[in-house]
Amino acid sequence: GWQARRAYMAGDWHRLRDRVFKIVALRPALSVEERFYLAVSHDSICDALRASHQELSDFVANGPDSGSHFLEADMSRSYRREIADELRDTCQSLLNLLLTTLMPRAADVEAGVDYLRIKGALHVHLAALSGDADEEVQWARLSFTGAWHRAQALPAGSVSRLTTARSLAAFLLHHRQRMDLAVNVSREAVRAVDCAAKTLREFAPTEPLHPVSVHLVRVLRDDVDKWSAALAADAAARSPGRLAGFRNRMRSSLRGRS
């Protein structure tokens, strides 16, 4: 509704979240715009809470001499617990809503993809707090990969499919330390768009990509170029050692035969 749009324009993320929750109470089938508001409000709230939690953790670990802080260590620990509880409650409340209401009543494939992607992001936020972060990361991986598999049924240039590719690639890079897999996902998404664009030029030249999709394709292309270059540099840095080892083994083998 217009109230959610107004809260988004004002950057009032808590009010935006509350408006979307009220919409869900009236009708669980959210529109594309409302799903976007649901995702961006929680990401913004959780990012801010995680930044505060990390700053207080650094202060507690390093002491007051590490910066121009005025909080005592005990008070910092208390604030950090409160922030951790708020972050955990924020993520858990939306997870419960997704699992009990939104995901079972998803109106179409695109809605299901969006909800799985949001679920993955929530597990990533929880991994920053959890004592068993590996479990939360595994849940995030299952959610992102599930969203990506379902997104294959969507048009190659759809905003939801491209956003899912970007989210999965970022997750693989930052939480699984697998740049090669991140490159593969991004390259696959870009190739699908290129094939679809060729088909559109041949059969429907008047149907352009959505502006958001154009931006996402540009971001994914940049990611592929950047990460591919990093992988090539890493392979080049490792290759001299591998080549020297191979040469030494060959010399040893030849000496053994002579």
Side-chain angles (χ1 to χ4, degrees):
W2 65 270
Q3 290 180 322
R5 193 173 299 113
R6 185 175 178 180
Y8 171 73
M9 296 299 294
D12 190 342
W13 309 122
H14 287 84
R15 186 156 62 96
L16 178 60
R17 178 194 59 184
D18 294 342
R19 291 307 309 172
V20 176
F21 274 27
K22 288 181 180 179
I23 293 172
V24 172
L26 296 174
R27 47 173 180 80
L30 297 179
S31 67
V32 175
E33 182 182 20
E34 290 161 352
R35 294 198 299 271
F36 170 75
Y37 290 153
L38 182 69
V40 74
S41 62
H42 279 80
D43 272 343
S44 300
I45 292 171
C46 291
D47 285 344
L49 289 171
R50 284 180 62 183
S52 298
H53 186 270
Q54 185 60 51
E55 183 176 354
L56 287 170
S57 297
D58 292 342
F59 173 77
V60 170
N62 299 325
D65 295 334
S66 61
S68 57
H69 297 278
F70 61 92
L71 297 175
E72 296 292 339
D74 290 342
M75 191 178 295
S76 297
R77 292 189 183 91
S78 176
Y79 284 157
R80 185 179 60 176
R81 283 193 297 270
E82 291 179 14
I83 290 172
D85 290 341
E86 183 179 354
L87 177 55
R88 193 174 290 107
D89 291 345
T90 298
C91 293
Q92 200 59 55
S93 64
L94 181 53
L95 275 175
N96 292 338
L97 185 67
L98 286 168
L99 294 173
T100 61
T101 303
L102 294 176
M103 294 175 68
R105 301 182 186 181
D108 49 32
V109 174
E110 186 177 27
V113 169
D114 290 343
Y115 293 145
L116 274 174
R117 191 176 63 249
I118 294 171
K119 183 174 179 289
L122 292 172
H123 285 298
V124 168
H125 290 309
L126 287 171
L129 298 177
S130 176
D132 189 5
D134 289 341
E135 182 179 356
E136 294 294 347
V137 170
Q138 287 300 321
W139 279 113
R141 181 184 64 82
L142 290 173
S143 299
F144 283 130
T145 54
W148 178 236
H149 290 317
R150 291 193 184 189
Q152 306 309 303
L154 300 174
S158 73
V159 174
S160 182
R161 176 168 171 162
L162 293 171
T163 303
T164 301
R166 182 73 172 94
S167 298
L168 175 57
F171 169 78
L172 291 170
L173 180 67
H174 297 296
H175 294 277
R176 304 293 292 179
Q177 304 299 314
R178 290 298 303 272
M179 187 179 292
D180 55 335
L181 296 181
V183 169
N184 290 340
V185 170
S186 301
R187 185 178 288 130
E188 181 182 345
V190 170
R191 284 176 178 171
V193 171
D194 289 341
C195 292
K198 181 180 179 181
T199 303
L200 286 175
R201 285 195 297 270
E202 293 176 353
F203 299 103
T206 59
E207 186 178 347
L209 280 176
H210 191 282
V212 176
S213 295
V214 173
H215 170 72
L216 287 169
V217 170
R218 187 180 301 115
V219 170
L220 287 167
R221 289 190 198 279
D222 291 343
D223 288 343
V224 169
D225 293 341
K226 177 177 60 180
W227 296 339
S228 297
L231 284 173
D234 183 63
R238 295 181 182 183
S239 59
R242 293 181 180 177
L243 183 58
F246 174 75
R247 287 173 176 170
N248 291 333
R249 288 193 299 272
M250 288 298 295
R251 292 191 187 102
S252 299
S253 177
L254 291 173
R255 291 193 195 100
R257 293 180 182 177
S258 58

